[in-house]
Amino acid sequence: MTPDTYTTLYGPARPTPSPRGTGVAVLAAVLWAVALLLLSGLGFLALWATADTGPTEGIPLHWAPICLAIAAVPVILLCTPPVRRLSVPARALVTGLAMCSIAVGLVIWVA
């Protein structure tokens, strides 16, 4: 079969998508899951410690800048030109790696 016959019968040939991104996406999901698990555990322990001290007027104000800084890290990373040129799974991997590093650092600092 000539390429012209194939194009006439089935349309232009489309390359199959590469399965390379699957491993990167799975690794990114694992990193994000670990980071979110560690951060939620730290948040639970912090709220428990605050509740243990007696009645309070709410969440202490010194937590707000820390929470905003942690939430700003992936946003700032995604705005940088080198990360914007990456594929979507690679972007998730880079931000997941940064968040996991922050979460592990906080756990080590608190422990």
Side-chain angles (χ1 to χ4, degrees), residues 7-107:
T7 304
T8 304
L9 291 174
Y10 304 110
R14 290 174 288 190
T16 57
S18 173
R20 287 189 311 188
T22 306
V24 173
V26 168
L27 185 59
V30 168
L31 284 173
W32 271 102
V34 168
L36 292 177
L37 180 71
L38 289 173
L39 290 174
S40 65
L42 284 174
F44 174 73
L45 288 176
L47 288 176
W48 190 1
T50 303
D52 192 33
T53 60
T56 60
E57 288 108 28
I59 297 176
L61 289 178
H62 67 275
W63 288 6
I66 295 171
C67 293
L68 287 174
I70 291 172
V73 167
V75 174
I76 291 170
L77 270 175
L78 288 173
C79 291
T80 60
V83 176
R84 287 175 51 195
R85 286 187 221 115
L86 295 173
S87 65
V88 174
R91 288 182 208 166
L93 180 65
V94 168
T95 55
L97 196 63
M99 289 302 293
C100 196
S101 301
I102 290 171
V104 169
L106 283 174
V107 167

